[in-house]
Amino acid sequence: MTYKNITVAGSGVLGSQIAYQTAFKGFNVTIWLRSEGSIERAKPKLERLKNIYLETLEEMKTNPDAYCRGLSDKRDLSDDEIDQLKEKAIAAYEGLTLTTSHEEAVKDADLVIEAIAEDPEQKIDLYQQFAKYLPEKTVLVTNSSTLLPSQFADYTGRPEKYLAFHFANNIWKNNTAEIMPQAKTDPKYIEEIADFAEDIGMIPLRVLKEQPGYILNSLLVPFLHAGLLLWVKGVAEPKTVDLTWKLATGAPRGPFQIADVVGLVTLYNIAVMNPESKNPDSIQGKIAKALKEKIDAGELGINAGKGFYEY
């Protein structure tokens, strides 16, 4: 099956990136959002992405190191070819459809990519609402960071067409797409999603069995947790932790800089899934409380202009 009409549910850090990248690659993209307020909050994120793409492409004319794998599979582009990509970046932004209607969002969707919060109840409710309107042809995937697709397959009404499809942040340059089925997934949809991943400039990475966190977050989440632990225990300030990691390993970012990219809401939702977070005296409880305080102060990460750093 060749996909044409793509719906992305949610416009958080990754939802907005997935939607924009997919539109940039020429697909018809609709973004489903929970409220009119969510639509207004999504617009500056999408505009920011448009500007990042335009600025990156312009820089690629003079700086080979600016090349991003998700923008083109060809590294050596002429100025005319780059200008054509810039036109696509503008067209992608202008062509996005934003709606709060479940029916409008999925009425002709070939593929629905769910990218809402790491909250099982919210995901189940969304799947049950979408199930009322999804065409028979529609494949449904989740971009969940840590939750397993088998937890939700039966709520979708199409378990054979449901699997996990997980992206890394900054997908225009970190262009990975992890594909993880659950027991009821028909294998042909694994291959369809792998083909689609390539169509939108991603490198498909097949996860052979269900694993909380897939490959990437099985490595990343413990790393971020270790940084948060040092912070809440008062061992070191976030900037010192980051500086230590970067100086000692040569890594471009430390855990708190990565946390700002991931978004503190996502980290908080992961933290509170641990039963120990209910105990305010436990380390997990202290991490959840510290993250919640920053969230309540509007310090959500890079998209908000402030997280552990100011942007």
Side-chain angles (χ1 to χ4, degrees):
M1 177 180 176
T2 300
Y3 300 151
K4 179 180 178 182
N5 301 317
I6 313 300
T7 297
V8 178
S11 68
V13 173
L14 269 171
S16 57
Q17 292 181 29
I18 296 165
Y20 187 81
Q21 175 71 18
T22 303
F24 174 70
K25 288 297 184 176
F27 291 83
N28 301 325
V29 178
T30 297
I31 305 175
W32 175 85
L33 295 150
R34 197 174 300 279
S35 66
E36 291 298 327
S38 297
I39 288 179
E40 293 307 310
R41 288 189 291 274
K43 289 177 180 177
K45 295 178 190 175
L46 297 167
E47 184 173 10
R48 173 178 172 269
L49 288 169
K50 178 193 70 173
N51 292 334
I52 287 173
Y53 279 53
L54 291 174
E55 291 166 6
T56 302
L57 287 164
E58 185 63 27
E59 187 179 357
M60 282 168 55
K61 290 181 178 180
T62 57
N63 179 11
D65 292 337
Y67 169 74
C68 292
R69 299 186 303 265
L71 299 183
S72 173
D73 56 7
K74 180 181 176 183
R75 180 179 284 272
D76 297 320
L77 296 166
S78 68
D79 286 0
D80 285 344
E81 288 172 320
I82 289 174
D83 287 337
Q84 290 172 18
L85 290 176
K86 290 174 71 175
E87 290 175 8
K88 288 184 178 181
I90 294 169
Y93 176 75
E94 295 176 346
L96 291 166
T97 298
L98 282 65
T99 181
T100 60
S101 166
H102 294 90
E103 182 175 9
E104 181 184 354
V106 304
K107 63 185 178 184
D108 194 29
D110 298 309
L111 173 66
V112 173
I113 304 172
E114 173 268 304
I116 65 172
E118 291 289 272
D119 182 331
E121 291 184 5
Q122 288 188 41
K123 291 183 186 292
I124 290 170
D125 179 66
L126 180 66
Y127 294 150
Q128 292 176 330
Q129 292 298 321
F130 276 171
K132 300 173 184 177
Y133 308 108
L134 284 171
E136 176 61 28
K137 66 176 181 177
T138 309
V139 178
L140 177 62
V141 297
T142 179
N143 180 59
S144 171
S145 298
T146 56
L147 301 172
L148 297 177
S150 58
Q151 292 177 246
F152 308 103
D154 290 337
Y155 294 104
T156 67
R158 57 191 64 222
E160 76 286 355
K161 294 186 178 77
Y162 178 67
L163 61 159
F165 189 36
H166 182 254
F167 296 79
N169 271 296
N170 296 342
I171 67 175
W172 59 93
K173 57 182 177 180
N174 303 327
N175 61 333
T176 61
E178 296 172 282
I179 301 167
M180 184 172 75
Q182 39 84 25
K184 297 179 181 179
T185 304
D186 185 326
K188 77 175 185 178
Y189 297 112
I190 300 172
E191 298 311 311
E192 285 189 8
I193 293 299
D195 289 344
F196 172 73
E198 293 182 341
D199 288 343
I200 61 170
M202 300 295 107
I203 297 172
L205 302 168
R206 290 169 174 80
V207 182
L208 303 179
K209 61 185 292 186
E210 281 195 311
Q211 162 66 26
Y214 312 77
I215 301 167
L216 176 60
N217 282 326
S218 292
L219 300 168
L220 180 60
V221 171
F223 173 65
L224 298 180
H225 183 269
L228 292 170
L229 184 149
L230 292 170
W231 172 47
V232 300
K233 288 180 69 175
V235 174
E237 291 296 319
K239 290 182 180 179
T240 305
V241 173
D242 282 354
L243 182 61
T244 302
W245 182 255
K246 290 188 294 182
L247 290 175
T249 68
R253 289 191 180 100
F256 292 95
Q257 289 171 308
I258 296 173
D260 278 354
V261 174
V262 171
L264 272 62
V265 172
T266 296
L267 291 182
Y268 174 76
N269 287 333
I270 293 171
V272 297
M273 283 192 289
N274 187 324
E276 290 184 13
S277 66
K278 294 180 172 59
N279 177 3
D281 295 325
S282 70
I283 288 296
Q284 197 65 27
K286 291 177 180 178
I287 288 174
K289 180 176 182 290
L291 289 171
K292 185 65 163 56
E293 288 174 353
K294 291 187 74 64
I295 291 168
D296 289 345
E299 299 171 8
L300 309 180
I302 194 168
N303 278 330
K306 187 175 182 180
F308 289 100
Y309 295 82
E310 291 191 13
Y311 300 91

